[in-house]
Structure formats: C-alpha cells, structure tokens
C-alpha cells in the first residue's frame, strides 16, 4: 500500500513482530530508521541492527510473522547520532554504509555487512574518518544530529555550528557555518540564526535530483529553528523560536527534538522533548505557526518520534497509543487527534514510514527505575554517560554497557511504569 493512500478510513494490521524470549530481558527500542531503498530497518536499541525479512510484503497476514535481526553489533561507546547512507543496500557488497558519531571519536562511515567494521581499531582508522572541530581548535566535537545532503556530502551539527563534509575528502569539513554568535559577541549585533546545540536536522524535498540546493531546517535545544540555503552551506536566511507558539498552545517543551518537512516543502513540523504537541509552520511565512497537533502524550525525557505521511501526522505516546491527525495544516489552530490506535501496553517511542511506501515500523519499550536505583547507577556511571545526559543528547541515567546503534538509558515518564514488553512491529493499512 502506498503511503499516499493513508487516510481517515485506514486501519492498521500487524504483519511482523519481534518476540521477547522467555527469561530474557526485552529490548528497549529507542529509534527506528528505514533505509532509502527499503531493504533494511536500522534500530537503535540495546543490541540490534535489524533487517526485516520480506519487508516489502505489505499483505495482511493471518498472524504476525517473526521479525529477527540480520546484524547485531557492539561498538566501543554508544552513538550520539547515526544515519544510513542514501544508497545503503544489503543487496550489494560493501553497500550497507552507515555514518556513526561516537564520543571522542571522529565520525566514521562503516559497512554494517562487515563484522570487523564495528571494532575499535576500524573505528579509529583514518580511511573514512571525519573530524568535526571548532575553527583553530583541536578538540573533537561530537554531533547530536547528522544528515546526508547528497550521496557524497553530509552535515553535522554542533554548538552554534554546522559543518559540511565530503566523503571523497576524509578529515576536516569542507564548509563550516556559524548558526549563531558565541557568548563573547552575543547582544553586540543582530544575528539571524538558531541559537544553541543543534539537535535536529531535516532537508527539504529536492527539486529534481539536486538536493544540495535544498533548504536545510535546523533545530536546537534552545527551542530555535533556522532555515539555511544550499543544504546548510550558507547562514540562515530566517530563524525563529518555537517557545512563544508552544506556550500559546500550552505544549511548551525542552528544546527541539524532531523536524519534518511536508512532501510539498511548504510546511515544517516541529516537536519538542517533553511536549504534548507538534507545531506546524508555513515556510512561506516561517515565523507563523498555522496549527498544532494536540494531545500527543509525550511528557517524558524519552525520545518520542513522529512521522508525516502526505498530509497525515502520526505519533506514538507514553500510553502505548499511536495518534493520527489528518490534514492538520489545513484545519489550523488546535487540532485534536482524528484517530487513536492502541499498539502496545508500553511506551511507543519509535515510529517511521519508508519513503517508498511500505509498512510502518513502530518500536515500544521504556527504561524505568526507582529513584534509589537511579542514584546508585548514577554514582557508578562514567563521565561519558553523565555528560550525555546533561547535554540532552540521550536519555538520563545511562548505563555503561552499550552496543551498536544502541542506547542504554533510563527515562522517567509522566505516568506509572507500563507493564508491557517491548516490541518492534511492522504495520500495513487497509480500508
């Protein structure tokens, strides 16, 4: 079923699901990303890189088929950001390329079909290493968000900085753009740019095949959004804070977590961490918020993803439900959910549709501890884990045991701890 067919009459049907093994601790699924060709689903969990078998099959089956990982990796440290290459494929040798950003390591483009690529000796090699540094400084910057702007270039975000790298030129960035002035110059002159640590990146749909000329949307943990021309190679031509609009709709959160463009490139959808809504902006008047999707149920430090399919917004919640807002940009103002689907007894924090129109992937689960357990684990946690929590680059109370495309973090939710197991599921839709 094509994504454009999703409407108010669509009903979800589970076609594949993981099954927690008896006596084994269930995975906590933090993030899911489809590759552009639809051959694989990258899952940020405790120890998973998943390739759904027969993921292109969207037929409704009598019962969900088992969903098992094709690859599983252990890295020297938990990734702060990752993204699959636009030409990622499991069907060709050496084509399962993924960009990883690890703390105190250069960014690396690794082949996930090669088991040795996850070893620290390979991570530290310079053949495909990209070093993000402040101008005239040697200390490495670990980005919280990365995005490919073409098959040969990608952008990484830092503190008031964006850097563009060329895959054909490993090492330092080819372009560095300041998104906002440093503290020394702040307030001395007017500077139009998003302030703070870059936490979200989204590239506008390209006209034709020239994505390097597209507008790059940048979100920060300070609650700012900026629009940069030429895929982030130039300074922002406009920027705005989402806080006044979020407060007006009573959905203010703790900084921008996710940005999504509409397929037509007219609207930007903005979600903050610990926010019960999603704001919609018209880029033809970027400072004007035209609508807000209300009732999201996402008051948690846990990363809560959403996706946009045509004119429909879908988002998971802490109550185990996925909510649907149809044509919210046209309706305007406060838009309540048109439909609510109960997908899990646990938090549904991950949700993604593939660009080619296949099944929707959802991941559920959460990490919950008593305050005493949190305090004990904090005392034992490394400086790395503490810094990552403070910077909002991951969820709080991280554990030192991590693995590939993984996060071992503990989150506090708005409600009582859910009792359900964590599942990764694929869903198709029928009318």
């Amino acid at each position: 079923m094509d994504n454009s067919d999703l409407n108010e009459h669509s009903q979800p049907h589970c076609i594949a699901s993981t099954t927690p093994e008896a006596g084994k601790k269930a995975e906590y699924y933090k993030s899911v990303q489809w590759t552009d060709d639809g051959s694989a689903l990258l899952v940020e969990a405790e120890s998973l890189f998943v390739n759904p078998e027969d993921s292109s099959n969207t037929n409704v089956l009598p019962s969900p088929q088992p969903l098992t990982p094709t690859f599983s990796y252990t890295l020297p440290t938990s990734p702060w950001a990752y993204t699959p290459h636009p030409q990622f494929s499991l069907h060709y040798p050496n084509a399962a390329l993924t960009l990883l950003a690890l703390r105190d390591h250069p960014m690396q483009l690794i082949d996930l079909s090669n088991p040795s690529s996850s070893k620290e000796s390979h991570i530290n090699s310079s053949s495909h290493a990209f070093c993000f540094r402040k101008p005239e400084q040697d200390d490495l910057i670990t980005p919280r968000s990365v995005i490919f702007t073409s098959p040969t270039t990608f952008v990484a975000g830092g503190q008031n900085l964006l850097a563009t790298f060329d895959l054909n030129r490993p090492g330092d960035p080819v372009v560095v753009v300041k998104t906002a002035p440093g503290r020394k110059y702040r307030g001395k002159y007017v500077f139009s740019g998003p302030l703070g640590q870059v936490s979200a990146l989204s590239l506008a749909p390209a006209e034709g095949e020239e994505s390097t000329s597209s507008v790059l949307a940048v979100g920060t943990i300070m609650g700012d959004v900026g629009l940069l021309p030429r895929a982030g190679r130039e300074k922002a031509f406009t920027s705005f804070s989402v806080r006044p609009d979020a407060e007006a709709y009573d959905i203010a959160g703790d900084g921008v977590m996710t940005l999504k463009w509409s397929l037509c490139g007219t609207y930007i959808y903005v979600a903050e961490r610990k926010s019960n809504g999603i704001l919609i902006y018209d880029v033809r008047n970027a400072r004007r918020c035209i609508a807000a999707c209300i009732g999201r149920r996402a008051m948690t430090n846990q990363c809560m993803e959403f996706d946009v399919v045509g004119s429909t917004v879908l988002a998971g919640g802490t109550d185990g439900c996925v909510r649907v807002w149809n044509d919210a940009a046209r309706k305007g103002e406060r838009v309540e959910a048109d439909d609510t689907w109960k997908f899990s007894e646990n938090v549904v924090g991950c949700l993604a549709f593939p660009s080619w129109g296949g099944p929707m992937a959802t991941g559920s689960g959460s990490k919950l501890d008593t305050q005493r357990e949190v305090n004990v684990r904090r005392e034992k946690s490394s400086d790395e884990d503490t810094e990552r929590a403070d910077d909002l680059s991951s969820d709080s109370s991280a554990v030192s045991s991590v693995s590939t495309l993984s996060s071992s973090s503990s989150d506090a939710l708005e409600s009582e701890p859910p009792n359900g197991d964590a599942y990764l599921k694929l869903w198709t839709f029928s009318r």
Side-chain angles (χ1 to χ4, degrees), residues 152-164:
T152 58
T153 58
F154 69 89
V155 171
Q159 182 76 21
N160 299 324
L161 284 176
L162 278 183
T164 300

Side-chain angles (χ1 to χ4, degrees), residues 102-118:
L102 308 178
R103 185 177 185 269
D104 294 333
H105 290 76
M107 289 175 287
Q108 277 279 348
L109 188 67
I110 67 171
D111 178 15
L112 292 179
S113 64
N114 179 8
S116 64
S117 64
S118 64

Side-chain angles (χ1 to χ4, degrees), residues 116-367:
S116 64
S117 64
S118 64
K119 295 181 179 178
E120 187 158 10
S121 58
H122 182 90
I123 295 295
N124 289 327
S125 67
S126 59
S127 58
H128 293 90
F130 303 89
C131 301
F132 189 7
R133 298 186 179 95
K134 289 185 178 180
E136 301 178 358
Q137 293 187 15
D138 293 331
D139 294 339
L140 287 173
I141 297 173
T142 305
R144 276 71 169 179
S145 185
V146 292
I147 188 173
F148 278 98
T149 53
S150 77
T152 58
T153 58
F154 69 89
V155 171
Q159 182 76 21
N160 299 324
L161 284 176
L162 278 183
T164 300
F165 294 83
D166 189 333
L167 296 185
N168 298 317
R169 296 174 56 185
D172 295 330
V174 293
V175 178
V176 176
V177 174
K178 269 194 172 185
T179 59
R183 292 195 181 110
K184 180 179 179 182
Y185 301 100
R186 211 166 290 166
K188 292 187 177 181
Y189 59 92
V190 177
F191 188 97
S192 177
L195 177 66
Q197 173 67 49
V198 174
S199 53
L201 297 169
S202 184
L203 192 65
E207 296 182 5
E209 297 183 357
E210 189 55 49
S211 60
T212 54
S213 62
S214 296
V215 175
L216 181 68
V218 176
T220 72
I221 62 173
M222 299 294 289
D224 286 352
V225 173
L227 304 180
L228 289 76
R230 297 188 61 219
R233 289 173 174 258
E234 296 179 3
K235 290 184 178 180
F237 60 81
T238 188
S239 67
F240 54 93
S241 173
V242 304
R243 186 147 300 173
D245 298 310
E247 291 176 348
Y249 287 108
D250 196 25
I251 55 172
D254 288 346
V256 176
M257 180 179 63
T258 309
L259 293 171
K260 297 280 186 181
W261 285 88
S262 64
L263 189 61
C264 62
T266 302
Y267 306 111
I268 297 178
Y269 298 79
V270 184
E272 291 191 277
R273 186 183 292 270
K274 295 184 71 174
S275 169
N276 275 334
I278 299 170
L279 298 168
I280 307 175
Y281 289 86
D282 189 332
V283 297
R284 293 168 295 189
N285 183 357
R287 295 179 183 274
R288 178 172 171 250
C289 179
I290 61 172
C293 300
I294 304 298
R296 187 182 170 206
R297 293 296 296 271
M299 290 298 293
T300 170
N301 284 324
Q302 181 172 334
C303 179
M304 301 292 290
E305 298 176 346
F306 74 93
D307 209 346
V308 180
V309 185
S311 60
T312 301
V313 181
L314 300 98
T318 55
D319 57 353
C321 293
V322 170
R323 287 173 174 80
V324 184
W325 295 264
N326 294 309
D327 211 5
R330 183 185 61 83
K331 293 177 181 177
E333 298 301 325
R334 298 176 64 90
V335 183
E336 299 289 343
D338 294 289
D339 210 342
T340 301
W341 301 324
K342 185 67 173 180
F343 274 18
S344 173
E345 295 302 322
N346 212 318
V347 179
V348 179
C350 315
L351 185 151
F353 275 90
S355 58
W356 50 272
M360 177 179 69
T362 61
S364 61
S366 61
K367 287 257 183 155

